[in-house]
Each structure stands twice: as structure tokens, then as C-alpha cells.
Amino acid sequence: MGYEYGKNRTEHPEPLKAEVKGSLPDWLQGTLIRNGPGLFSVGETSYNHWFDGMALMHSFTIKNGEVTYRSRFLRGDTYNSNMQANRIVVSEMGTMAYPDPSKNIFSKVITFLNHTVPDFTDNCAGNIIKYGNDYYATSETNYIRKIDPMTLETQDKVDYQKYLAVNLVTSHPHYDKEGSSYNMGTSIADKGKTKYVLFKVPAAGRSGSEASPALKNVETICTVPCRTLLTPSYYHSFGMTDNYFIFIEQPLKLDILKMATAYLRGVNWASCLKFHPEDDTLIHLIDRKTKKEVAVKYFTGATVIYHHVNAFEEDGHVVFDVIAYEDNSLYDMFYLDKLKDKEAKEAANKKFSKPKCKRFVLPLTDKGEMGEDLVKLKYTKASAVKEKEGKLLCQPEVLTEGVELPRINYNYNGQKYRYVYLTVAETTESTSITKLDVETKQQLEWTAENCYPSEPVFITRPGATEEDDGVILTSVINSNPGQSDFLLVLDGKSFKELARVHVEAELHLDMHGFFISQSD
Ligand SMILES: CC1=C(/C=C/C(C)=C/C=C/C(C)=C/C=C/C=C(C)/C=C/C=C(C)/C=C/C2=C(C)CCCC2(C)C)C(C)(C)CCC1
Ligand SMILES: [Fe+2]
């Protein structure tokens, strides 16, 4: 039993009618698209890491109480080149690929110089995002792939670099009520500088903003200089409130010099990404109005953070919640050789630094005595101690442990909020999801034996006035003999099952999802 991470999945492009057991609320109408790796070997070659697998998108369309399922591989240049060559010819984060199988140094150099294959991968297996009116599959390279959200067909390849000087961009943008998107990326050694770039993609529909891709109208909001030219931090998401952006410059760093020679040395990109526990973490707070960093500098100890949960402002503080680790063991845990071998898997799971949901509080001023904790909010144990003029050392409060893949009611993004929905993350085979009340720290849990749920997505009931008035959707892999996989629908308040929607197809474990409501 367990989930077979490295197994190649098949696609089901034609809509499959699913069987609803239980009842779906009438108002629940729309499509949940989810994205994640689904193909791990081509011909005789295999990827090393689960995150490298070729993107397989799937969707559940809910209409008048009926649900249809479909899935399709993302047919990007990476997929097409690999299929044509019948082996993996495009490198991913954890797998360096050599189009010429006789791996001698001479042929490596030739391939490198000739660019006979796509330069960087457009295998976008991380998330689904929206820019303007369009939906894209994304990972974190400069390429994203437009998709048809209804049929899941692959459309144009869009290169961020045509519109912005960035080499990497997150797959977790933020959205405002008007439909504009905000994201950030890293510009490496461009004109002698390495910097982080925050940008806005205006909503479609404003005058002159109908252009496609919407990125044509991108506006750079501001840039944050990197602490070092050749070792930018890796980050996976960022926080946003009405007035601020929160960007965490953590000591998980890309070594650009190592990357430049990785191909010829025969090592993967991931080996150029290193955690430096001896360094500290710098928290950047950027004022959205002035487009400048606030004068106070915020620090905390070395940590690794992928997912921001939410952030809000209160009484002269910015509060933000994240999922934090003590090291980079999450990445190592998802190497496929470890996931395939029972003993190696157990050893990796043991070494896994448990993700903790942590709350940081940043006072907006450093007025106070040296050594004083400047956090004045009564309800939190988080602190920010004045170390010297303009410098605060922050200690977070742990809200809960062993959780990942956070989702909130996105209407509360940037606002004071109470609930977060998460996957329980003790090992790579999670059988539970949880609802955490960040105020009382109470948790409600859904769990079922041999069932592996994905990231829980909250969908708000139209007209709702309470934060948890809605449902949670998660696709569940069911490895109980003779039972099928299903879309699970839970009540947002009680976390009790409303329905299981069974699909007569094998689902795959994925990363993230996006719900498009019918009214959109
Ligand atoms: C660097 C660089 C590059 C490359 C890049 C790449 C290739 C990237 C990719 C990236 C990626 C591709 C990323 C990804 C990420 C991901 C993540 C971060 C994830 C996370 C996950 C998690 C968190 C999980 C969870 C879970 C599950 C899923 C199941 C159950 C259990 C648990 C909960 C644990 C280039 C060449 C452009 C150049 C420049 C620089
Ligand atoms: Fe993510």
C-alpha cells in the first residue's frame, strides 16, 4: 500500500462523468483545475526527482450537481522534445539531461553551444495561475504555458523575459479584488546586479489592457537588491497586505557560478541550491504606496520557507503566517529513488524537518529601548526585539506543527483571518487534511485509511458573511482494494463530509489547484 510516486500516469482528455455520493450544494458551480507531475520516465530514461515529472493537469467541473473529470499532459516544448526523442532531453531541477546519450564532454559542449533542445524547461507542473483573462500552467522558470481551462489543451508558450528581466518567477502570485495579479521573480547578474523584482499584471478590461498575453502590460512595482551578486535566495511565494509586500530573503541560496558549470560537470541544478544554517534570514517589508522598503530591518534565524499562508496589518504591526522548516530536507525527501525504496523512504521521512506553521509579527516602528520587545499585540507570543537602531530580531510563534500546502478563504487574503486549511505533513504519504483556527489553535481533521488527499482548496459560498461559510475540495487517491479515487467535498464550518465524487480513472498526487467559479 502507499502512493507510487514514480509511476507513469495516463491522461483522460475526454470528459468522464463522475458518480456523486452524498450531496453537493446547489451554489457550487465551476471547475477545479489541479496541476502536478504525472510522467517520470520516457523510453529508457527517468527523472531523479518527483518535482521533475512532466505536468499532468486534471480538472473537476461541477455543474448542476453533476461532475465531470478530465486530465491532460501539458504538451509544452519539453514534453514534445522528450516524446520525439523517446528519452528525457530537457533538464529539470533534479535531473540534468543530455540530448546526446554518449555523455562525453565533447558532445556536452556541442549541445550546450548549439541549443539543440529548448534552453530551459517549460514543463510547468507546479500550479495554475491567472494573468488578465488567461490561465497558465507554471513552475518557476521564465516560461509559462497558457492553457484552455475547460479542455486543458496546451496553448502559447509565454516567456517572462520578453516583458521583464527575470530568470525565475514564483508560481504563487497574489490577486486583488479588481483581478490584477502580483508576482515576483529574480533577475540574476543582469547589468552587473542581482535583484528581486516585484511586478503587477493589470486586470483585463481596463482601457488598453485587453492585450494578450496580459504580461504585455506588466508594471514593475519595485526591485529589492540581492544581498550578494552570485548567490540569490530561493523563495517560493511571498505575502501581501493592503499596504505591504512581505519577502523573505532566506539562506537557501542558488550558487550561480556552480550553476553555470553544472551542465558540463554532469550535476543537476538542485545541487547548486544550498542551505546555509550559519546565515540569518532577512525579512523585507515593502510599502506598496512608496514602493520602498520600510526603514526598519527585520531579521530572524536561518529557516526555509516555501509557502506563505496569509498576512495582515493590525495596530502598527504587520502579522504574517508561513510554513517554515529548519532545513532543506523537504526537497531531498522527494528524490524518487528514496520514495521507491521502503527503507530509504523511512530514513528520509525520519530526517524530514517537520514543517511548522509559524506567525511572525513586524512592528512598523523601532521606537523603544534597546532589548525591548516591540510587539504590542496581546494575543501573540511572537516577538521582535530591538537589537540596535533600525534593527529588530524576530522570533515567531508556532501555531501548529506537521502541516503544509496551506489554503485560506482568499477573500480574506491580506486581512485579519481565522482559518487555514492544510495537508497534514508528517511523511510523504499523508492521509489527513486539517482546518486550523489560528486564533484558538484548535484543529478539525479529516482522515481516511489508505486515502491520500491533495492540497485542500476552500471555496466560499456566494453571499457568505462568515469566513468559513463554504466548502473544501480535495482530490483523494484511494488505495483501498476495489475502491475508486474521488473528489472530496467537506463543509467549511464543520469539516464534515458532504460528498465523495468517485472517478473511474486513476488520479495522481499533485501540487496545487485553482478554482474557477462559474460566475467568472
Ligand atoms: C534555478 C535556475 C533555473 C532552473 C530552474 C528550475 C528548473 C526550477 C524549477 C523549480 C521547481 C520545479 C520548483 C518546485 C518547487 C516545489 C515545491 C516547493 C513543492 C513543495 C511540495 C510540498 C510542500 C509537498 C507536500 C506534500 C505532498 C505533495 C504530499 C503529501 C505530503 C506533503 C504535505 C509533504 C534556470 C535553468 C531557469 C536558470 C536560472 C536559475
Ligand atoms: Fe507551492
Side-chain angles (χ1 to χ4, degrees):
M1 219 66 78
Y3 181 72
E4 281 183 79
Y5 271 94
K7 185 175 140 190
N8 283 347
R9 309 281 146 169
T10 44
E11 59 180 359
H12 299 275
E14 296 310 320
L16 265 174
K17 191 159 177 271
E19 191 195 344
V20 182
K21 287 191 180 154
S23 74
L24 297 173
D26 300 340
W27 57 264
L28 185 63
Q29 311 260 354
T31 297
L32 172 69
I33 310 181
R34 303 194 51 86
N35 192 5
L39 201 74
F40 304 92
S41 60
V42 185
E44 300 291 300
T45 57
S46 311
Y47 289 115
N48 299 328
H49 198 277
W50 185 63
F51 297 176
D52 295 343
M54 275 188 278
L56 177 56
M57 300 167 291
H58 55 168
S59 69
F60 301 86
T61 301
I62 307 165
K63 202 172 175 187
N64 304 330
E66 293 198 338
V67 181
T68 46
Y69 174 81
R70 63 178 114 208
S71 65
R72 242 183 235 272
F73 285 110
L74 183 78
R75 284 178 173 68
D77 293 347
T78 299
Y79 180 93
N80 293 334
S81 307
N82 287 346
M83 288 306 161
Q84 214 174 4
N86 194 33
R87 60 173 187 273
I88 296 165
V89 290
V90 185
S91 302
E92 301 293 337
M93 195 69 178
T95 309
M96 196 55 93
Y98 297 94
D100 190 323
S102 66
K103 272 191 188 176
N104 68 53
I105 190 81
F106 182 68
S107 62
K108 280 185 202 171
V109 176
I110 297 288
T111 330
F112 189 64
L113 297 175
N114 276 354
H115 284 289
T116 44
V117 290
D119 46 355
F120 291 133
T121 180
D122 68 343
N123 174 33
C124 302
N127 203 358
I128 301 292
I129 65 171
K130 190 177 183 193
Y131 285 145
N133 282 332
D134 298 327
Y135 295 89
Y136 296 88
T138 133
S139 79
E140 295 174 355
T141 68
N142 54 305
Y143 295 120
I144 50 178
R145 269 286 176 174
K146 192 174 160 198
I147 57 151
D148 179 324
M150 289 305 122
T151 63
L152 303 181
E153 276 160 323
T154 308
Q155 300 176 335
D156 304 343
K157 173 168 162 174
V158 172
D159 182 357
Y160 279 111
Q161 293 190 335
K162 267 178 91 175
Y163 311 100
L164 276 169
V166 283
N167 305 87
L168 293 159
V169 181
T170 88
S171 59
H172 290 285
H174 280 293
Y175 305 95
D176 67 15
K177 299 267 184 296
E178 284 74 49
S180 295
S181 313
Y182 301 81
N183 207 347
M184 65 179 293
T186 307
S187 170
I188 302 170
D190 181 46
K191 301 194 188 87
K193 289 204 172 80
T194 295
K195 53 194 189 235
Y196 309 102
V197 184
L198 274 145
F199 61 89
K200 172 179 180 179
V201 184
R206 289 196 349 209
S207 63
S209 61
E210 295 297 349
S212 183
L215 265 170
K216 275 191 184 149
N217 294 316
V218 69
E219 298 159 14
T220 298
I221 300 169
C222 67
T223 61
V224 174
C226 176
R227 284 200 272 183
T228 52
L229 177 71
L230 293 172
T231 52
S233 282
Y234 172 83
Y235 52 97
H236 185 75
S237 62
F238 61 102
M240 181 172 99
T241 68
D242 287 346
N243 296 299
Y244 299 95
F245 290 113
I246 299 122
F247 162 54
I248 300 173
E249 196 176 9
Q250 59 192 5
L252 176 61
K253 297 180 187 167
L254 285 166
D255 186 323
I256 301 306
L257 292 181
K258 279 195 179 152
M259 291 195 73
T261 56
Y263 188 83
L264 298 176
R265 288 186 295 126
V267 299
N268 61 14
W269 301 126
S271 71
C272 312
L273 183 65
K274 209 167 159 246
F275 179 57
H276 297 264
E278 69 286 1
D279 285 0
D280 54 16
T281 301
L282 181 53
I283 304 167
H284 297 270
L285 189 62
I286 298 138
D287 186 323
R288 290 178 60 184
K289 282 204 195 82
T290 63
K291 302 179 176 170
K292 295 217 158 52
E293 288 196 53
V294 305
V296 188
K297 293 266 169 270
Y298 306 94
F299 288 88
T300 190
T303 182
V304 174
I305 290 164
Y306 302 103
H307 294 118
H308 280 249
V309 179
N310 199 3
F312 59 91
E313 298 162 32
E314 191 167 33
D315 291 341
H317 303 75
V318 170
V319 180
F320 69 91
D321 300 340
V322 292
I323 308 296
Y325 294 81
E326 262 137 51
D327 57 34
N328 194 25
S329 56
L330 170 85
Y331 188 82
D332 292 342
M333 200 167 73
F334 280 94
Y335 273 105
L336 290 166
D337 56 353
K338 287 191 188 146
L339 292 165
K340 267 179 212 150
D341 179 274
K342 197 166 170 273
E343 273 168 34
K345 181 160 74 184
E346 275 165 17
N349 279 335
K350 257 196 208 129
K351 262 181 71 198
F352 179 40
S353 118
K354 247 203 240 164
K356 296 185 179 143
C357 183
K358 291 187 179 174
R359 167 161 290 182
F360 285 86
V361 181
L362 311 178
L364 288 167
T365 150
D366 69 337
K367 278 205 194 83
E369 300 297 315
M370 225 55 93
E372 184 184 338
D373 176 8
L374 301 185
V375 174
K376 303 299 171 204
L377 299 176
K378 292 279 177 293
Y379 58 80
T380 180
K381 288 197 193 79
S383 64
V385 172
K386 182 162 173 173
E387 261 204 343
K388 54 181 184 191
E389 284 313 320
K391 184 173 173 184
L392 304 185
L393 185 62
C394 304
Q395 287 297 345
E397 172 186 7
V398 177
L399 300 177
T400 192
E401 297 191 8
V403 288
E404 249 293 0
L405 304 174
R407 294 295 291 247
I408 56 166
N409 175 343
Y410 199 77
N411 292 338
Y412 286 74
N413 189 55
Q415 310 297 321
K416 192 162 185 192
Y417 77 116
R418 248 185 104 164
Y419 304 109
V420 48
Y421 309 92
L422 304 129
T423 303
V424 172
E426 304 282 346
T427 67
T428 43
E429 268 148 29
S430 169
T431 52
S432 330
I433 52 175
T434 180
K435 172 184 179 184
L436 168 69
D437 180 333
V438 293
E439 241 169 77
T440 64
K441 302 192 180 68
Q442 274 170 351
Q443 274 175 251
L444 295 174
E445 196 166 290
W446 177 91
T447 184
E449 220 177 317
N450 302 319
C451 286
Y452 309 107
S454 61
E455 165 208 52
V457 178
F458 179 87
I459 293 122
T460 189
R461 186 178 66 78
T465 52
E466 284 172 301
E467 187 184 331
D468 56 354
D469 186 354
V471 297
I472 290 110
L473 299 182
T474 180
S475 70
V476 181
I477 288 143
N478 185 353
S479 68
N480 288 303
Q483 298 184 17
S484 54
D485 298 343
F486 54 92
L487 175 76
L488 175 69
V489 188
L490 299 181
D491 176 63
K493 281 186 187 297
S494 64
F495 222 55
K496 292 256 168 7
E497 282 191 42
L498 294 176
R500 288 185 182 199
V501 182
H502 289 270
V503 181
E504 282 315 315
E506 207 183 27
L507 303 186
H508 65 298
L509 198 69
D510 53 28
M511 293 269 197
H512 295 295
F514 191 110
F515 185 77
I516 307 172
S517 108
Q518 177 113 58
S519 53
D520 297 341

